[in-house]
């Protein structure tokens, strides 16, 4: 591994491997077929980029998105690695050049779109150029169980067969068992070595807040993170448009992205996000896959995500560089009802519907969790963990109060109305509101009628969700969302269990909590600003995103250490030989000038 460690340091400028990387690189170098499941931001790319540089032969990389491919190729080339791509977005000259370089043996890495792989001439070309390995990025695209199925991915196995026995390295962040099995079967002729890396992303702080005034909560949050790149996810295109407009009207540099916009507009948005600093993208979940921008500082969910896997993928787009990042979400029962309806009315099989309903309940329970949020999240992926210290619950931002009596009231109204009603009606009964329904069923005569009049509807909804999250009540999703009392709920009613509930907040302030600015302790702010300006200029000259020049972390380390020589500089994160050569002196002189001015 010494050669690998040298390349890691000299070419990539990294001090060491991230968790999991070393074993994968080792297996790859030993010629094994590999399927690696790593969380987003875990550093998958390095696991095929590094082996590609050892020994001769070309490594083919199959990547589902042209933007993703281009970003990686630009990064590779800045590191001095002979990488190119073949795809429909390149000019013919570019593609011709790539083919020439592939044939004359100069190329180390060739990125291909799946469509390109499907073209008749491609296998011929590949068989002439000495392919040593095929790396498959976003390998879950081969599976219909995954969420981004791409039929062309099915050709990968065939191509490999036709090329003779080349090594196959597949990577994905999608973890569930079904998809994993499917990838194994569809890509690999024999079972590969499987690496399953832990799902924790400890640098992302987690918080979920009930929605009060959603826009205000968002604005507070975005304002508290001014100057940082972030993604705001909304559930529909219309909501994307409204939200983006609102942020713009408040002076925020917000752009919108959803699948209904013309491609030019989507590209422009993506470009701005990659290149400029402090851009907020308001988007549907159509935005994100393939955006491997390392310095996204936050992901804000304006609406409840679809399920926990979705949530995990979406928040995973924050903080890939390992620096502090924030995932903040808002949730309300409105979406829960809506999603439930979509499931119910959708065309899926009954079996699939049941799965989806369960997934939704798990998500609601995650929102209303009263113990460490990360524990709850990781438990979903089958991992046990300590309390994290980096979520709203661990930080004590969610205060709890004694809530047994309120819970008993909620449970008793469920029983008194014979366990056949949904939450909204139950709340009107508790609050003593006369409605058609309560007249019809004689609910105004119940002893529970009006016992909860002192508590607002909003608070009652929250109490019901918590009663549900705590396992005291069951919701029959298939039957109009009827509530019933569970065994554990009976224990509450009998006074055998105490219930703690969230302290109702008077004004729900969504923003401030858990804001995790990048740790700049000891960094000279003027120097940092000057370095960022220099980076911007270099990036513009080269027509690449800023992080391709240097990631934030490198600039922050420069502004802390104020290096004076190339040797000092080469000690810092992300500075390999090529970058030292290309940019070293420019940055050193900038540091000298701006630090000198400050002193
Ligand atoms: P993934 O594809 O798993 O989501 P990437 O491969 O894009 O993640 O890596 C995420 C970030 O981590 C990138 O900015 C990359 O440069 C950085 N990175 C990868 N490996 C290391 C390492 N060993 N040390 C430091 N940074 C790393
Ligand atoms: Zn926690």
């Amino acid at each position: 591994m010494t050669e690998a460690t040298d390349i890691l340091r000299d070419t990539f400028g990294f001090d060491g491997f991230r968790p999991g990387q070393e074993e994968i690189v080792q297996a790859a170098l030993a010629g094994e077929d590999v399927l690696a499941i790593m969380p987003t931001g875990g550093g998958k790319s390095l696991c095929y980029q590094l082996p590609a540089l050892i020994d001769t032969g070309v490594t083919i990389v199959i990547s589902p998105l042209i933007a993703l491919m281009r970003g990686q190729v630009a990064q590779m080339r800045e590191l001095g690695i002979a990488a190119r791509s073949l795809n429909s977005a390149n000019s013919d000259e570019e593609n011709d050049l790539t083919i020439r370089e592939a044939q004359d043996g100069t190329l180390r890495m060739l990125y291909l779109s799946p469509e390109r792989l499907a073209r008749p001439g491609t296998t011929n070309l590949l068989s002439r150029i000495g392919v040593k390995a095929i790396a498959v990025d976003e390998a879950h695209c081969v599976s219909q169980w995954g969420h981004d199925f791409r039929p062309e991915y099915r050709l990968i196995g065939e191509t490999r067969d036709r090329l003779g026995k080349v090594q196959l390295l597949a990577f994905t962040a999608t973890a569930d068992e079904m998809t994993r099995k499917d990838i194994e079967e569809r890509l690999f002729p024999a079972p590969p070595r499987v690496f399953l890396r832990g799902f924790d992303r400890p640098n992302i702080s987690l918080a979920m807040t009930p929605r009060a005034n959603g826009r205000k909560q968002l604005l507070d949050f975005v304002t508290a993170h001014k100057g940082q790149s972030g993604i705001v996810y909304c559930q529909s295109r219309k909501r994307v448009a409204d939200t983006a407009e609102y942020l713009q009207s408040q002076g925020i540099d917000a752009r919108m992205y959803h699948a209904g916009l013309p491609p030019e507009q989507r590209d422009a948005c993506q470009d701005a996000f990659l290149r400029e600093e402090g851009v907020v993208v308001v988007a549907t979940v159509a935005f994100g896959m393939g955006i491997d921008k390392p310095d996204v500082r936050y992901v804000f969910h304006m609406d409840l995500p679809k399920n926990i896997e979705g949530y995990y993928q979406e928040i995973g787009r924050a903080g890939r560089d390992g620096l502090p990042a924030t995932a903040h979400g808002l949730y309300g029962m409105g979406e829960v009802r809506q999603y439930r309806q979509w499931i119910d009315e959708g065309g899926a099989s009954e079996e699939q519907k049941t799965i989806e309903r369960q997934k939704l309940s798990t998500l609601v329970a995650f929102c209303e969790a009263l113990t460490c949020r990360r524990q709850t999240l990781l438990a979903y992926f089958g991992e046990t963990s300590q309390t994290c210290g980096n979520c709203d619950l661990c930080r004590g931002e969610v205060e709890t109060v004694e809530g047994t009596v309120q819970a008993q009231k909620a449970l008793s109204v469920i029983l008194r109305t014979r366990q056949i009603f949904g939450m909204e009606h139950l709340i009107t009964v508790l609050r003593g509101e006369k409605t058609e329904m309560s007249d019809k069923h004689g609910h105004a005569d119940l002893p529970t009628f009006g016992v909860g009049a002192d508590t607002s509807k909003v608070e009652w909804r929250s109490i019901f969700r918590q009663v549900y999250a705590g396992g005291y009540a069951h919701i029959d999703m298939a039957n109009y969302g009827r509530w019933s009392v569970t065994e554990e709920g009976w224990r509450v009613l009998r006074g055998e269990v105490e219930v703690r509930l969230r302290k109702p907040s008077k004004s729900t302030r969504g923003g401030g909590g858990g804001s995790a600015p990048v740790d700049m302790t000891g960094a000279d702010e003027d120097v940092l600003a000057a370095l960022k300006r220099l980076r911007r200029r270099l990036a513009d000259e080269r027509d690449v995103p800023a992080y391709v020049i240097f990631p934030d972390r490198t600039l922050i380390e420069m502004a802390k250490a104020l290096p004076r020589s190339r040797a000092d500089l080469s000690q810092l994160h992300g500075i390999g030989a090529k970058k030292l050569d290309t940019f070293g002196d420019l940055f050193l002189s900038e540091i000298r000038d701006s630090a000198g001015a400050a002193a």
Side-chain angles (χ1 to χ4, degrees), residues 341-387:
Q341 199 179 340
W342 283 336
I343 297 171
D344 292 346
E345 292 169 5
S349 66
E350 259 328 297
E351 193 191 354
Q352 186 78 27
K353 284 184 179 179
T354 310
I355 296 174
E356 284 175 23
R357 287 185 195 110
Q358 275 163 5
K359 286 189 171 183
L360 183 59
S361 329
T362 327
L363 181 66
V364 175
F366 167 73
C367 292
E368 292 285 8
L370 286 173
T371 55
C372 175
R373 204 174 284 290
R374 194 176 313 270
Q375 267 179 338
T376 316
L377 182 64
L378 293 175
Y380 182 80
F381 294 111
E383 279 182 35
T384 47
S385 59
Q386 308 273 296
T387 51

Side-chain angles (χ1 to χ4, degrees), residues 8 12-19 21 38-49 68 72 75 137-138 171-173 201 291-295 316 319-322 547 551 553 573-574:
L8 184 69
F12 290 91
F14 298 150
D15 306 330
F17 286 106
R18 290 238 182 110
Q21 284 179 332
M38 277 172 112
T40 311
K44 286 185 279 299
S45 337
L46 185 95
C47 300
Y48 55 84
Q49 290 165 348
L68 184 70
Q72 283 215 6
Q75 275 180 307
D137 202 3
E138 313 285 358
F171 300 84
T172 177
R201 296 281 308 281
I291 307 286
D292 62 349
K293 183 175 165 64
D295 56 353
R320 287 181 186 227
D321 52 11
Y547 62 80
R553 178 164 160 202
H573 168 88

Side-chain angles (χ1 to χ4, degrees), residues 3 7 11-12 49-55 81 108-109 132:
E3 190 179 3
I7 295 180
T11 302
F12 290 91
Q49 290 165 348
L50 201 161
L53 306 183
I54 295 178
D55 297 334
I81 298 168
R108 300 310 299 264
M109 304 190 72
K132 75 164 173 189

Side-chain angles (χ1 to χ4, degrees), residues 292-356:
D292 62 349
K293 183 175 165 64
D295 56 353
V296 177
R297 294 270 69 85
Y298 62 84
V299 168
F300 190 99
H301 279 94
M302 195 61 184
D303 303 301
L304 194 66
K306 278 289 158 54
N307 50 45
I308 297 228
E309 289 97 332
Y311 171 78
Y312 180 79
Q313 278 238 330
E314 286 142 31
I315 66 165
R317 288 165 188 148
R320 287 181 186 227
D321 52 11
L323 295 172
T326 306
H328 197 112
L330 301 181
Y331 65 94
M333 256 346 208
E335 297 110 273
V336 178
R337 258 202 314 279
Q338 165 127 72
Y339 292 175
R340 204 170 284 155
Q341 199 179 340
W342 283 336
I343 297 171
D344 292 346
E345 292 169 5
S349 66
E350 259 328 297
E351 193 191 354
Q352 186 78 27
K353 284 184 179 179
T354 310
I355 296 174
E356 284 175 23

